Amino acid sequence: MQQLMAHLLNHINYILGNNSSGEIAKLRTDMNLRDEVGLDSFDMAELTVRLEMEYGIDIFEGGVVYTVGEILRKLEKENVKE
Amino acid sequence: MSRNKLFFFDTAKNKEYTFEDLFKGLNQLNSIPAYIHTYDYFEIFLLITASLIHQKHVTLLDFDFRESELLKLGLTGESLGNQISLSNKILVDKNNFYNLLRNSTGWELTLFTSGTTGQPKKISHSFENLTRMVKISDIKGNDVWGFAYNPTHIAGIQVFFQALLNLNSIINLFGQSKATVYSLIRKFNITNISATPTFYRMLVPHDENFNSVKKITSGGECFDQNILELLKKVFPGAKILNIYASTEAGSLFSSKSNTFTLNAKNKDFVKIRNGELLVHKSLLGFSDVLGIEDWYNTNDMVEIIHEDPLTFRFIYRKNEMINVGGNKINPNEVEEILNRYPGVNLSKVYGKKNSILGNILMADIKTDNENITEKELKSFLKDYLQPVKIPRVINLVNTIETTRSGKLKRI
C-alpha cells in the first residue's frame, strides 16, 4: 500500500508539475483529489490515462472516484503488484 | 424588480453585482471595444448588453486566445484596440431596460467556431438566432441560473440571454469545484443549471439532494443515460433536457433523452442525407465561409429511429474535431505548432476515450532527439495555444502511421 501510494504521488506530482501547478509533499488516503490534492477535471482525466498506461486499469470506470484511498483500493482490487 | 436584485455573482472574485450596478455600468460607457477580449465575466456581460442596447455589432473573442491565435484571425494589437463610440446617449434604468433589450432588431454578434483547417470560422448571429429557444414569462422571473459555460461561446451567450431577458440572477459555476458548486446552489437557491455532460459527470454521484433546482439542461456533447439517472437523484425536482446546438446554428432541438424528435416548426428546415444531419441555411448565422448551398452539412452522423415524425439520435462527428469536455479541438492546429519544435519530425494529435472528459487529448511525437521532454513540449505549446488545446499526454514514438497519400491516419 505504501509503495503504491508513493507511486501515485509521483504520478500526481508529474501531472501538477507539467501543468505549472505546485507539487504536493505527501498523500493521505482520505484526501479529496480535487479540493485537497488540487487536481481539476483535466488533471484527473490525465491521471486515469497514466494509471491505465501503467496498470491497464481505468480507475474511473464504473463511476467517478473522489479520494486517494478510492484509487488505491481500485488498484489493489485489480491485484496490482507493488 | 427590486432595486438591489442580484444580476451576477462572480465566484472567482467573490463579488456580487446588482442590476443597479449593470445599469450604472451601461450609463457610464461612452464607447465599447469592437472586439470583446477580457477575462472579466461582468465586463463581458456588460459589453454584450451595451452593444445590444446601442445596436452595435461587436465580436466576442475567447479570453484565453494567445497572440499567435489572434494573429491567425487577422487581429493585431491595433485592431483589438478599436473602439465603437456610443454617441446616442441612452439612459438605462429598471423601467426601460427590458424594452431596450427587445428592440434590438439590427444587432449582430460575431464569434468564432473551430474551423476544420486550423482556421477558426467567423459566424455572425442576429438577436433572433441567439434567442431562438429563449422562453420569457412572469413565472421565470425568479429563476436563478447556475452559469457553467464559457461566456464567450455560443452556449454561454444563449444561457446569458435566457437569464437576462427574464431579469434573472446569474451565478458563475464555470470551472468551480464540486464542493463550491453545491455550496453555491444552496446559498443562492439556484433553480436552473445549463452545462456540458462533463460538468455534470463531476457533480455526481452525491449524497445530498437539492429541491431548489427545477431545470437542468445539457448540451455540447453526447448525453448518456447514466448521468441522467444520477442527476435525477441529486435534483429530484428537476426537469432534465438535452439540447442540440452548434456555433453555426445556435440551439436547434431539445429532448428528454438521447433521441430527438422534430416538431412541426422544424420539420421543413432539417433533413438527413446519407446519415448526416443537414440544416437549412435560414436557421444559420451569417458567415462568408459557410457557402451558398441551401443546406448546411453539420458533420453530425445520426441514426434514424422513426421516420414520421422524424426521430433520430446522434452517433458521431464526421469530421476530425476532438470533443474534450465540450470543447472542440482541431488536431491539425495543435500538430502544426508541435511540428515547429526543434527536433520534432512528425506529430499526431488524437483523442482517447476518457470517462471524465469524454475524450482526452493525446499526442505522439516522432523525433530523433531522445532528450526532448514532455514538460518542455507542453511549455512550448502554452505560448501558442489555449490550455484546452494542449495534449495532456505526449508520447515519444518511433513511427506514426500515414495513409497512402501521406496524410495522418486518424482512425
Side-chain angles (χ1 to χ4, degrees):
Chain A
M1 182 78 151
Q2 283 310 314
Q3 264 181 316
L4 264 185
M5 177 96 97
H7 211 63
L8 183 60
L9 179 63
N10 282 342
H11 274 300
I12 287 172
N13 276 335
Y14 184 77
I15 292 167
L16 292 173
N18 263 346
N19 302 312
S20 318
S21 308
E23 297 186 1
I24 52 167
K26 209 179 159 197
L27 286 180
R28 291 189 322 273
T29 51
D30 63 341
M31 277 172 107
N32 181 291
L33 293 165
R34 181 155 196 151
D35 298 335
E36 292 175 88
V37 179
L39 300 176
D40 63 22
S41 54
F42 281 76
D43 295 330
M44 280 201 250
E46 186 181 334
L47 181 63
T48 62
V49 174
R50 294 197 183 277
L51 291 174
E52 192 177 359
M53 280 161 61
E54 186 167 354
Y55 301 117
I57 296 163
D58 178 356
I59 51 164
F60 279 66
E61 195 178 30
V64 179
V65 294
Y66 295 102
T67 65
V68 169
E70 283 174 74
I71 295 184
L72 294 176
R73 279 195 292 280
K74 286 220 176 188
L75 294 177
E76 280 188 328
K77 200 174 144 197
E78 299 293 332
N79 295 318
V80 168
K81 296 204 171 42
E82 294 204 6
Chain B
M1 180 173 63
S2 82
R3 197 180 152 75
N4 291 320
K5 180 166 181 176
L6 178 67
F7 161 61
F8 177 61
F9 178 68
D10 187 326
T11 309
K13 291 183 179 172
N14 193 23
K15 187 167 179 182
E16 294 189 6
Y17 297 89
T18 63
F19 273 90
E20 277 302 312
D21 294 326
L22 175 67
F23 301 153
K24 200 171 147 194
L26 290 169
N27 292 335
Q28 281 172 348
L29 288 170
N30 293 316
S31 65
I32 53 173
Y35 296 92
I36 302 177
H37 187 220
T38 168
Y39 276 95
D40 190 305
Y41 278 50
F42 176 70
E43 198 181 342
I44 294 171
F45 293 150
L46 173 72
L47 294 173
I48 294 175
T49 311
S51 76
L52 182 63
I53 287 175
H54 290 269
Q55 302 201 21
K56 301 292 183 190
H57 182 169
V58 290
T59 299
L60 201 49
L61 300 170
D62 273 31
F63 41 65
D64 55 0
F65 267 151
R66 298 293 190 261
E67 202 182 329
S68 57
E69 291 173 298
L70 292 167
L71 272 175
K72 267 193 189 171
L73 307 176
L75 298 172
T76 58
E78 197 183 335
S79 45
L80 286 171
N82 286 348
Q83 290 281 321
I84 302 169
S85 167
L86 306 178
S87 44
N88 281 348
K89 262 288 166 207
I90 299 174
L91 206 58
V92 183
D93 61 33
K94 65 176 184 173
N95 299 317
N96 65 3
F97 183 57
Y98 181 77
N99 285 334
L100 286 169
L101 294 178
R102 294 311 305 270
N103 290 337
S104 23
T105 45
W107 177 79
E108 270 187 14
L109 182 70
T110 296
L111 13 121
F112 288 92
T113 178
S114 335
T116 48
T117 55
Q119 180 72 15
K121 279 186 288 182
K122 195 174 176 181
I123 314 276
S124 298
H125 284 286
S126 64
F127 183 66
E128 291 69 29
N129 239 5
L130 289 173
T131 56
R132 186 184 296 135
M133 286 180 80
V134 165
K135 293 189 172 61
I136 303 167
S137 72
D138 288 345
I139 307 168
K140 293 185 185 297
N142 291 322
D143 284 356
V144 178
W145 280 85
F147 191 88
Y149 282 116
N150 184 327
T152 63
H153 290 186
I154 194 156
I157 297 161
Q158 290 179 115
V159 173
F160 170 64
F161 278 132
Q162 171 67 42
L164 188 73
L165 289 168
N166 283 289
L167 305 177
N168 296 154
S169 305
I170 301 169
I171 314 301
N172 186 24
L173 309 180
F174 189 60
Q176 300 304 316
S177 71
K178 178 180 174 180
T180 307
V181 169
Y182 282 123
S183 81
L184 291 169
I185 294 175
R186 200 176 298 116
K187 180 177 173 191
F188 291 101
N189 281 315
I190 288 176
T191 59
N192 297 53
I193 305 174
S194 187
T196 58
T198 292
F199 178 87
Y200 294 125
R201 270 183 215 118
M202 293 303 293
L203 286 189
V204 290
H206 188 66
D207 292 340
E208 290 169 280
N209 52 48
F210 297 83
N211 289 313
S212 70
V213 179
K214 56 181 187 182
K215 194 163 179 187
I216 291 206
T217 42
S218 173
E221 297 168 284
C222 282
F223 196 53
D224 64 65
Q225 197 63 26
N226 186 33
I227 316 173
L228 183 76
E229 296 306 323
L230 291 166
L231 282 173
K232 277 183 187 165
K233 285 184 188 155
V234 184
F235 306 108
K239 194 168 138 189
I240 301 175
L241 271 189
N242 184 17
I243 307 259
Y244 172 79
S246 71
T247 310
E248 292 83 3
S251 295
L252 287 175
F253 331 109
S254 68
S255 148
K256 286 180 184 163
S257 67
N258 248 342
T259 61
F260 294 87
T261 301
L262 288 187
N263 58 24
K265 205 171 77 183
N266 278 331
K267 196 163 68 73
D268 298 331
F269 298 101
V270 174
K271 68 178 179 185
I272 294 166
R273 189 167 60 200
N274 300 328
E276 183 179 358
L277 183 79
L278 307 186
V279 175
H280 193 262
K281 67 176 181 188
S282 58
L283 292 181
L284 303 177
F286 172 77
S287 173
D288 294 340
V289 291
L290 286 180
I292 48 162
E293 300 290 324
D294 282 349
W295 292 90
Y296 170 68
N297 295 48
T298 62
N299 281 320
D300 279 317
M301 303 304 285
V302 298
E303 178 190 11
I304 297 175
I305 314 271
H306 298 295
E307 288 287 353
D308 195 16
L310 186 59
T311 303
F312 54 89
R313 87 180 167 87
F314 291 92
I315 317 172
Y316 66 95
R317 288 285 289 179
K318 198 170 148 189
N319 67 14
E320 299 166 340
M321 306 301 281
I322 303 163
N323 196 331
V324 178
N327 300 283
K328 286 177 197 157
I329 312 296
N330 181 351
N332 300 288
E333 184 188 2
V334 185
E335 286 159 6
E336 187 205 319
I337 311 273
L338 268 173
N339 294 343
R340 286 190 214 164
Y341 194 77
V344 171
N345 299 332
L346 186 64
S347 64
K348 176 181 166 179
V349 171
Y350 55 98
K352 181 178 177 354
K353 286 257 172 266
N354 183 273
S355 35
I356 299 173
L357 298 172
N359 290 289
I360 183 168
L361 207 59
M362 310 275 289
D364 287 348
I365 302 290
K366 195 178 160 206
T367 175
D368 299 320
N369 178 0
E370 285 180 1
N371 297 322
I372 289 183
T373 66
E374 203 174 355
K375 189 167 184 167
E376 70 186 71
L377 285 167
K378 285 187 177 183
S379 153
F380 173 71
L381 293 174
K382 267 179 201 154
D383 289 333
Y384 299 95
L385 296 169
Q386 293 174 266
V388 72
K389 294 177 189 165
I390 297 174
R392 296 301 298 222
V393 178
I394 303 179
N395 300 308
L396 304 186
V397 297
N398 294 324
T399 51
I400 290 179
E401 263 193 291
T402 54
T403 64
R404 277 181 296 172
S405 55
K407 292 179 183 171
L408 282 183
K409 203 168 183 176
R410 296 215 181 268
I411 300 170

